[in-house]
Amino acid sequence: MLHKKLKPFPKDFLWGASTSAYQVEGASLEDGKGPSCQDVKTVPEGTSDLKVCADQYHRYKEDIALMAEMGFKTYRFSISWSRLIPEGTGAVNPKGIEYYNNLINECLKYNIEPLVTMFHFDMPAALDKRGSWGNRESVDWFVNFAKVMFENFGDRVKYWLTINEQNMLTLVGPLIGTLHVPEGCTNILKETYQQNHHMMVAQAKVMALCHEMLPNAKIGPAPNISLVYPASCKPEDMLAAQNYNAIRNWFYLDMAVWGKYNNLLWAYLEENDATPDFEPGDEEILASGHPDFIGFNYYNTATVAASDGTEKLDPGADQQQARGEAGFYRGIDNPNLTKTEFGWEIDPPGFRSTIREMYSRYRLPMIVTENGLGAYDKLTEDGKIHDPYRIEYLRRHIEQMHLAITDGCEMMGYCPWSAVDLISTHEGMVKRYGFIYVDRDEFDLKTLDRYRKDSFFWYKKVIASNGEDLTD
Ligand code: BG6
């Protein structure tokens, strides 16, 4: 659709950016924080541990002041479960409450709306030992954690996100250090989707609890959604794209919004003898949770062809790679797209199609909770970071979001990844995403001082013009 005139961004559009606790905070065992699964995992060779990260725990005031200088309307951060409740259940850590109170209050001081992710890849290690999401009790653990957050922060936090990228926890959990597979497990897929089922039930309960405890708050899921293209107009490729769209994308949103398993996903699980077990009442619980909006992370689309029956799951594949599964789809590179330095395809028009597709399926307002470019940024002698590649990437995505708004899609906000440089899920500190540069290397912590990248000044103008001025 070619538009002659673009609709403006909504006047209360939430411009901001995102981080997650275990990737940005550091202070991994300070002030009573218990370890999370991220603190006890073996990090990929050649990458930093997660003890200090960007040290936001000690520098949140400086970080929030810089966000305010950019004109942020919102800051999406996550709450570390084991900072709040060190053992995951039981005693609450007063220092944890104090830290998040300070962080929230600091945001509000500058009229920055806190957008809180409740769970971002960091199960308390104590609960990991008890089986993590594989233990049915995880539903109650998560509901209790949510209650503690609602009680302590619900007077000031209006926007909540449940589970970050539940689809990636399920599809590439071991890569991001989260999937707990019990010893002797003979059907890993069934175990994985049983864990996934527990997360779904927990999410539905928490959405219902939020509406009950905080009637003025809004809550939604935050999956990683990438529209899947067929490799060609061959009908078999289209069927493969539908398969992978269901497995990767729609299942998670069908569940969050309608409380129902996607039929293609269910057929895939049946085929693999991997359907999860339901407890009595689960169907009702799943149907009882309703999101007020959809948060979603978008990095790039995926492209698949028909399976020829020989595909094997590649254990090294990450969040943005369609791997292929015999009988369902074969992941391929899209020859029409370029890639980032870290091998992720770049597809701004795919952002527009993803938004359009989601809106036509669910008709809920949407907020982008991640989108961004990981790159090897360099600090120059005179304290500058020239990152035109990031500006170009973000500009092209914002242009497409603007077109999607003109297409009639309801967008609430845009929070690229990331506000501040932080540690990547599996590619270390050198894969930088921030508007704010952090002076540290992979293993040398240096000064941890903050520097404004060129993209910082550019984004400030974008926000000031409510998305109208995207020029350098
Ligand atoms: C998303 C996650 O998958 O992408 C973030 O929600 C992550 O936690 C981001 O950091 C970028 O991925 P990566 O692997 O480059 O860190």
Side-chain angles (χ1 to χ4, degrees):
M1 205 182 296
L2 288 176
H3 296 292
K4 294 195 189 67
K5 196 167 175 293
L6 294 185
K7 287 186 191 148
F9 281 88
K11 70 172 178 359
D12 49 0
F13 193 74
L14 293 169
W15 297 98
S18 298
T19 61
S20 90
Y22 88 91
Q23 295 173 279
V24 78
E25 281 179 4
S28 64
L29 295 177
E30 228 174 285
D31 285 343
K33 177 178 173 294
S36 79
C37 63
Q38 298 293 345
D39 300 314
V40 297
K41 77 176 184 189
T42 308
V43 297
E45 212 185 320
T47 67
S48 163
D49 60 36
L50 297 143
K51 289 192 181 110
V52 176
C53 300
D55 198 30
Q56 187 166 83
Y57 188 75
H58 298 112
R59 293 162 195 258
Y60 68 93
K61 285 195 179 176
E62 187 182 351
D63 286 348
I64 306 291
L66 286 163
M67 293 178 208
E69 188 182 323
M70 272 186 278
F72 276 25
K73 312 291 180 211
T74 188
Y75 172 36
R76 176 200 176 212
F77 57 87
S78 76
I79 289 188
S80 154
W81 187 340
S82 61
R83 193 179 294 290
L84 220 56
I85 309 175
E87 296 289 312
T89 59
V92 173
N93 174 23
K95 285 279 185 192
I97 301 278
E98 184 184 320
Y99 173 65
Y100 291 111
N101 268 334
N102 290 342
L103 184 67
I104 290 164
N105 293 343
E106 199 66 18
C107 288
L108 294 174
K109 181 169 124 189
Y110 296 103
N111 292 322
I112 296 175
E113 200 68 69
L115 171 60
V116 173
T117 314
M118 310 173 90
F119 182 79
H120 195 125
F121 299 166
D122 56 354
M123 180 60 91
L127 297 184
D128 226 28
K129 283 205 197 106
R130 293 167 66 188
S132 188
W133 291 108
N135 186 334
R136 172 73 197 199
E137 286 177 39
S138 58
V139 173
D140 295 336
W141 301 336
F142 189 60
V143 172
N144 174 61
F145 169 46
K147 193 159 171 272
V148 172
M149 287 187 280
F150 294 154
E151 276 166 359
N152 285 282
F153 313 124
D155 56 334
R156 284 153 294 149
V157 175
K158 282 200 265 176
Y159 295 98
W160 299 88
L161 296 159
T162 53
I163 298 177
N164 178 69
E165 294 197 352
Q166 188 180 326
N167 48 347
M168 293 306 125
L169 288 172
T170 301
L171 294 171
V172 295
L175 183 97
I176 43 189
T178 51
L179 187 75
H180 179 107
V181 180
E183 244 172 76
C185 171
T186 51
N187 187 340
I188 294 181
L189 199 69
K190 181 170 169 77
E191 170 63 27
T192 306
Y193 279 88
Q194 188 65 52
Q195 296 190 15
N196 186 76
H197 179 75
H198 295 154
M199 282 188 250
M200 290 297 187
V201 174
Q203 169 172 265
K205 280 194 148 188
V206 162
M207 290 195 292
L209 183 70
C210 178
H211 292 134
E212 185 189 313
M213 289 180 66
L214 309 172
N216 296 322
K218 293 189 187 304
I219 188 162
N224 174 322
I225 303 294
S226 295
L227 194 63
V228 181
Y229 298 145
S232 75
C233 54
K234 278 191 213 144
E236 293 76 11
D237 288 348
M238 184 61 195
L239 290 167
Q242 289 179 330
N243 291 342
Y244 193 48
N245 260 315
I247 294 170
R248 190 198 190 287
N249 297 317
W250 308 140
F251 160 48
Y252 295 88
L253 288 174
D254 289 2
M255 226 9 172
V257 179
W258 300 323
K260 282 195 170 60
Y261 271 83
N262 176 287
N263 60 296
L264 294 182
L265 181 276
W266 192 259
Y268 157 82
L269 294 179
E270 281 179 332
E271 199 62 40
N272 284 294
D273 192 21
T275 52
D277 300 328
F278 276 52
E279 280 208 351
D282 279 2
E283 271 178 49
E284 292 73 21
I285 295 171
L286 290 169
S288 72
H290 300 287
D292 302 291
F293 63 89
I294 292 174
F296 73 101
N297 300 346
Y298 173 87
Y299 288 90
N300 55 255
T301 47
T303 305
V304 301
S307 158
D308 65 8
T310 63
E311 295 80 13
K312 288 209 171 60
L313 277 181
D314 167 6
D318 73 14
Q319 305 99 300
Q320 297 312 128
Q321 285 150 358
R323 303 160 300 175
E325 287 184 75
F328 300 97
Y329 64 94
R330 164 184 291 263
I332 62 157
D333 280 355
N334 185 332
N336 305 301
L337 302 176
T338 56
K339 289 184 175 169
T340 71
E341 287 178 306
F342 287 85
W344 286 8
E345 289 173 344
I346 301 178
D347 185 5
F351 188 34
R352 181 182 179 189
S353 354
T354 300
I355 295 171
R356 287 158 64 131
E357 192 62 25
M358 264 195 292
Y359 195 62
S360 71
R361 287 179 72 93
Y362 305 106
R363 289 305 183 113
L364 282 172
M366 291 169 283
I367 181 162
V368 180
T369 40
E370 289 181 32
N371 171 233
L373 177 80
Y376 296 99
D377 297 336
K378 287 280 161 297
L379 178 65
T380 61
E381 298 270 300
D382 58 347
K384 305 268 187 327
I385 302 92
H386 302 303
D387 57 348
Y389 37 82
R390 180 167 296 108
I391 293 176
E392 181 62 9
Y393 178 99
L394 295 173
R395 181 193 355 253
R396 292 175 62 207
H397 283 82
I398 294 173
E399 278 167 1
Q400 294 295 325
M401 180 171 53
H402 202 170
L403 290 167
I405 289 173
T406 309
D407 293 331
C409 304
E410 214 179 324
M411 296 300 298
M412 288 162 53
Y414 179 64
C415 295
W417 188 260
S418 51
V420 182
D421 285 344
L422 39 68
I423 312 268
S424 143
T425 57
H426 62 291
E427 292 179 292
M429 186 69 206
V430 292
K431 191 181 190 186
R432 293 175 186 268
Y433 283 90
F435 293 109
I436 300 166
Y437 184 90
V438 176
D439 180 34
R440 63 159 287 183
D441 287 343
E442 202 64 53
F443 299 108
D444 181 353
L445 293 177
K446 297 175 133 183
T447 64
L448 290 163
D449 283 350
R450 278 35 183 168
Y451 291 85
R452 296 163 182 81
K453 298 185 190 178
D454 287 355
S455 55
F456 177 105
F457 299 105
W458 172 80
Y459 196 42
K460 181 176 175 173
K461 259 193 336 161
V462 172
I463 297 176
S465 65
N466 200 22
E468 293 300 323
D469 183 0
L470 303 184
T471 59
D472 287 3

